[in-house]
């Protein structure tokens, strides 16, 4: 009984339900993929129990007061990829997508699975070397060490067997196996760097989610680059492990190039600072001030070079733009000036009024900040929902621009770039809560990405009209109702899901009901605009319920996980 109580909890039960729903929808042709996901989930559960039951010091300095979240972080992205595979298999059976697109998504699934599996092995090896604990549900002795080694070997063998079966099914190039393996190695290096560079900012599960997404994103960038290089004759066909056959819009390429340039910029700037320090002496206060000014000039000049020269050059190399990408963006906006400029004016007005109002409240009021932050979720609904219905392409571009601005401001804040760094830091601190730290503020990123990712992932073929709305519905409406410090939970919540948690049954019920009510209004509206409705109500009810229960039980950053879970279930 002690073992069961230490292993079973609400979050893990909901994750198992989530995985079971996806596995139930698998066609027989994806049986090997489902086997790999099941083994990955079992291995992640084992590692999570071992980490959380250990009395020894934590492997990394993670966000205090939360569980490790390893199981949820390890299965979320692979399950999203598997749901997309199920969706594309339906399209392929109807001859609406090409076989190459299905193969590319398959490789992405195995790449994400290899990334998560590799990080789990990395964590497991640290556990086996840690001091023995007496209260762990799995006693740490020689027999247990042998069992752990066999378990790791079994998962590795299953992964290799599944990859071999996959390769024999048509993807027979050995470079594809190396490509997947490199994703795993890159994930280990990145998650270790992320947790050591930003201590106490995220849990292991949150770091695993971010790491897997970034590795997949950079891998896709390299695939696009290699495909373009092969097209121009710079690389032989044998050196390109796979081709990017996913149909992309110009907006998607612009967003990817801009965001990747900003993600790579801190690495470039770090080495530029080392070069600068060789030539500047910071011995006295005047020299330090001059050094700060030189640092600021170096920062903005190098950032401008990355955004004006490097990123557009890559964009034009990958996609044949007839104009400079920035000029293309201007021409795109003014192709429908009244609708798009009016939408921009509406967004700016809503942001200005909301930020000004809530900034003054947060500075002068005793109201909990998390309650104030829920109004930003409602603000996201008012901003993004009309745009997604009537101007989805422009909203794609706006999401990319907003995320680029957030990245730029956070880089300035973290590096304390004169003269804006201190001002941005003081302003952002007015909206932070216990999930943020002075070192890294991530809540606004998670809210924006939670709304944007389902929309970006729905690009191309999409036979589920509610899938792009997964982030807006789950965060803007459902999440606002669930917590004790949210609208319904704060006023009427009495029955709690757990003795130590703050989330109430009344809030969860209100969240599920409100999302279903929004869907009942949204579906006829989408039908009137030309969408073909193919969302079954039972599937929708199950998706809303599972995502609502996960919001009720998880201690992780829900803005990051809930939209992806909801999106995956809507795709089935």
């Amino acid at each position: 009984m002690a073992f069961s109580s230490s292993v079973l909890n609400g979050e893990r039960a909901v994750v198992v339900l989530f995985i079971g729903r996806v596995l139930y929808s698998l066609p027989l042709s994806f049986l090997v993929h489902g086997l790999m996901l099941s083994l990955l989930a079992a291995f992640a559960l084992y590692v999570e129990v071992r980490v959380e039951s250990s009395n020894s010091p934590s492997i990394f300095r993670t966000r205090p007061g939360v569980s490790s979240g390893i199981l949820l972080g390890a299965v979320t992205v692979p399950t999203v990829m598997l749901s997309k595979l199920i969706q594309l298999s339906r399209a392929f059976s109807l001859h609406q997508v090409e076989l190459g697109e299905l193969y590319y998504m398959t490789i992405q699934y195995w790449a994400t699975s290899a990334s998560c599996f590799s990080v789990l092995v990395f964590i497991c090896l640290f556990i086996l070397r840690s001091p023995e604990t007496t209260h762990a549900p799995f006693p740490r002795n020689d027999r247990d060490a042998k069992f752990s080694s066999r378990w790791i070997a079994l998962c590795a063998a299953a992964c290799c067997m599944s990859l071999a079966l996959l390769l024999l099914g048509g993807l027979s190039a050995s470079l594809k196996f190396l490509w997947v393996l490199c994703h795993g190695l890159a994930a280990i290096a990145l998650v270790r760097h992320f947790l050591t560079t930003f201590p106490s900012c995220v849990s292991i599960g949150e770091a695993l989610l971010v790491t897997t997404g970034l590795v997949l994103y950079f891998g896709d960038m390299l695939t696009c680059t290699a495909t373009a290089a092969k097209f121009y004759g710079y690389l032989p066909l044998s050196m390109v492990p796979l081709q990017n056959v996913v149909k992309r819009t110009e907006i998607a390429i612009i967003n990817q190039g801009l965001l990747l340039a900003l993600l790579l910029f801190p690495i470039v700037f770090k080495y530029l600072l080392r070069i600068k320090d060789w030539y500047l002496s910071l011995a006295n206060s005047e020299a330090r001030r001059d050094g700060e000014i030189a640092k600021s000039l170096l920062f903005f000049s190098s950032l401008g070079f990355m955004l004006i020269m490097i990123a557009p050059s890559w964009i034009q190399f990958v996609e044949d733009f007839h104009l400079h990408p920035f000029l293309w963006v201007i021409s795109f906006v003014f192709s429908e000036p009244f609708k798009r400029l009016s939408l921009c004016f509406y967004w700016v007005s809503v942001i200005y009024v909301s930020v000004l109002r809530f900034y003054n409240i947060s500075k002068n009021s005793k109201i909990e900040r998390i309650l104030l932050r829920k109004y930003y979720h409602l603000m996201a609904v008012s901003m993004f929902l009309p745009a997604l219905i009537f101007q989805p392409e422009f909203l794609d571009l706006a999401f990319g621009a907003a995320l680029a601005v957030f990245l730029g401001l956070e880089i300035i804040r973290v590096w304390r770039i004169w003269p804006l760094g201190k001002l941005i830091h003081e302003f952002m601190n007015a909206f932070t809560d216990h999930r943020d730290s002075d070192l890294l503020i991530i809540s606004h990123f998670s809210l924006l990405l939670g709304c944007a990712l389902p929309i970006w992932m729905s690009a191309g073929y999409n036979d589920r009209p509610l899938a792009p709305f997964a982030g807006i519905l789950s965060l803007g409406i459902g999440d606002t109702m669930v917590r004790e410090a949210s609208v319904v939970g704060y006023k009427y919540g009495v029955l709690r899901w757990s003795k130590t948690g703050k989330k109430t049954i009344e809030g969860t019920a209100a969240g599920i009901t409100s999302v279903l009510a929004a869907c009942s209004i949204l579906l006829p509206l989408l039908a009137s605009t030309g969408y073909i409705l193919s969302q079954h109500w039972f599937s929708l009810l199950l998706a809303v319920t599972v995502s609502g229960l996960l919001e009720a039980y998880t201690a992780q950053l829900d803005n990051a996980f809930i939209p992806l879970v909801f999106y995956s279930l809507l795709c089935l």
Side-chain angles (χ1 to χ4, degrees):
M1 293 299 293
F3 173 82
S4 299
S5 62
S6 62
V7 172
L8 298 179
N9 59 36
E11 180 183 299
R12 293 169 187 165
V14 176
V15 173
V16 171
L17 180 62
F18 166 51
I19 296 173
R21 173 68 180 98
V22 175
L23 294 178
Y24 179 77
S25 303
L26 278 179
L28 291 177
S29 57
F30 291 149
L31 184 61
V32 177
H33 304 67
L35 175 63
M36 185 60 218
L37 180 61
S38 302
L39 291 174
L40 179 66
F43 188 27
L45 176 60
Y46 169 77
V47 175
E48 181 178 287
V49 171
R50 289 293 298 268
V51 169
E52 294 185 359
S53 62
S54 174
N55 291 334
S56 58
S58 178
I59 302 171
F60 299 103
R61 291 172 55 193
T62 58
R63 184 157 59 91
V66 298
S67 60
S68 64
I70 293 175
L71 173 61
L72 181 60
V75 302
T76 298
V77 180
T79 308
V80 170
M81 295 295 105
L82 191 57
S83 298
K84 287 294 295 181
L85 269 176
I86 296 173
Q87 187 179 46
L88 289 178
S89 67
R90 294 196 301 265
F92 180 71
S93 63
L94 298 174
H95 306 286
Q96 295 182 348
V97 298
E98 299 178 356
L99 182 62
E101 187 171 350
L102 188 63
Y103 276 166
Y104 185 71
M105 185 59 64
T106 302
I107 285 292
Q108 287 191 313
Y109 167 73
W110 289 109
T112 55
S113 299
S115 300
C116 295
F117 174 79
S118 301
V119 174
L120 291 176
V121 172
F122 168 70
I123 297 173
C124 194
L125 291 177
F126 267 88
I127 295 174
L128 294 178
R129 295 178 180 179
S130 62
E132 184 175 355
T133 57
T134 56
H135 300 286
F138 302 99
R140 297 170 187 251
N141 49 34
D142 294 338
R143 182 180 178 183
D144 181 56
K146 292 180 181 179
F147 170 76
S148 301
S149 301
R150 292 172 183 174
W151 178 251
I152 295 173
L154 176 63
C155 290
C159 181
C160 294
M161 180 188 69
S162 302
L163 280 172
L165 292 174
L166 175 68
L167 296 176
L168 291 175
L171 301 173
S172 57
S174 60
L175 285 177
K176 292 186 177 68
F177 175 78
L178 296 176
W179 179 253
V180 172
L181 181 62
C182 288
H183 278 74
L185 298 177
I188 292 175
L190 188 58
V191 74
R192 186 171 185 176
H193 175 76
F194 188 79
L195 288 173
T196 53
T197 306
F198 303 104
S200 303
C201 292
V202 294
S203 67
I204 297 178
E206 293 163 356
L208 185 54
L209 178 71
V210 173
T211 295
T212 307
L214 287 177
V215 169
L216 185 67
Y217 201 53
F218 277 93
D220 184 70
M221 178 205 70
L222 293 176
T223 303
C224 292
T225 307
T227 302
K230 186 202 70 172
F231 176 79
Y232 291 114
Y234 298 135
L235 285 177
L237 182 62
S238 59
M239 293 297 294
V240 181
L242 65 154
Q243 297 185 29
N244 187 351
V245 294
V246 179
K247 296 179 180 178
R248 299 172 183 271
T249 63
E250 291 86 351
I251 293 175
I253 295 294
I254 290 174
N255 285 339
Q256 189 172 19
L258 183 64
L259 296 178
L260 286 171
L262 286 170
L263 289 172
L264 291 173
F265 173 73
I267 302 175
V268 177
F269 184 62
K270 179 180 178 181
Y271 286 102
L272 290 177
L273 280 181
R274 291 182 180 180
I275 297 173
K276 178 189 75 71
D277 290 339
W278 290 344
Y279 298 97
L280 289 179
S281 173
L282 305 179
N284 50 61
S285 59
E286 183 178 357
R288 281 197 296 271
R289 181 181 178 183
D290 294 338
E292 288 298 315
I293 296 175
K295 176 182 175 181
S296 178
L297 292 176
L298 180 64
F299 176 88
F300 288 109
S301 60
S302 56
L303 179 61
F305 182 76
M306 286 285 290
L307 296 181
I308 297 175
M309 297 296 298
I310 303 299
S313 299
W314 180 84
I315 292 171
Q316 289 183 310
F317 179 76
V318 172
E319 184 72 20
D320 186 17
F321 280 82
H322 299 291
L323 296 173
H324 189 279
F326 289 162
L327 296 179
W328 187 94
V329 168
I330 294 174
S331 64
F332 172 78
V333 172
F334 283 94
S335 61
E336 295 183 14
F338 178 75
K339 294 180 180 179
R340 291 167 181 169
L341 292 179
S342 300
L343 193 58
C344 289
F345 178 77
Y346 168 69
W347 286 341
V348 171
S349 301
V350 171
I351 292 172
Y352 176 77
V353 173
S354 301
V355 170
L356 184 63
R357 173 64 175 168
F358 294 137
Y359 180 77
N360 293 329
I361 292 177
S362 64
K363 296 293 286 185
N364 304 317
S365 175
K366 296 182 179 180
I367 299 177
E368 293 187 30
R369 287 186 179 182
I370 192 171
L371 182 59
L372 292 174
R373 284 151 58 99
K374 292 302 174 182
Y375 290 103
Y376 281 97
H377 290 220
L378 297 177
M379 184 186 74
V381 175
S382 64
M383 290 177 59
F384 302 147
L385 189 60
L388 182 55
I389 297 174
F390 300 108
Q391 284 288 325
E393 292 184 351
F394 184 60
L395 182 61
D396 285 351
L397 182 64
F399 272 135
L403 187 57
V405 171
F406 281 179
L407 281 172
L409 293 178
E410 186 66 9
I411 293 172
I412 293 174
R413 190 192 68 83
V414 170
W415 286 94
R416 297 292 195 269
I417 302 300
W418 180 86
L420 301 176
K422 184 178 179 180
L423 296 176
I424 295 174
H425 178 73
E426 293 176 353
F427 177 81
M428 294 299 299
N429 271 343
F431 303 99
T432 58
D433 62 7
H434 63 281
R435 295 174 296 184
D436 295 309
S437 66
D438 288 340
L439 188 59
L440 193 66
I441 299 177
I442 58 175
S443 295
H444 57 301
F445 285 103
S446 62
L447 177 60
L448 183 64
L449 284 173
C451 294
L453 283 176
I455 299 173
W456 288 342
M457 290 187 296
S458 299
Y461 177 81
N462 177 44
D463 60 348
R464 296 292 185 261
L466 287 178
F469 296 86
I472 298 174
L473 292 173
S474 60
L475 296 183
I477 297 177
D479 183 45
T480 307
M481 303 291 179
V482 173
R483 287 180 177 267
E484 179 196 35
S486 302
V487 177
V488 173
Y490 181 76
K491 292 184 177 181
Y492 308 106
V494 176
L495 303 175
R496 300 180 188 273
W497 285 103
S498 63
K499 295 180 180 179
T500 58
K502 294 184 177 181
K503 301 172 185 178
T504 62
I505 296 177
E506 294 87 349
T508 301
I512 294 174
T513 304
S514 61
V515 173
L516 289 175
C519 292
S520 65
I521 299 173
L522 189 59
L523 283 172
L525 181 61
L526 292 174
S528 65
T529 59
Y531 280 90
I532 299 176
L533 302 183
S534 57
Q535 193 79 53
H536 299 288
W537 276 101
F538 176 77
S539 176
L540 176 61
L541 176 62
L542 189 59
V544 174
T545 303
V546 171
S547 59
L549 290 175
L550 184 59
E551 160 64 26
Y553 278 114
T554 186
Q556 307 300 308
L557 191 60
D558 45 17
N559 291 356
F561 289 99
I562 303 300
L564 295 177
V565 171
F566 192 30
Y567 172 81
S568 301
L569 296 175
L570 287 177
C571 288
L572 303 178

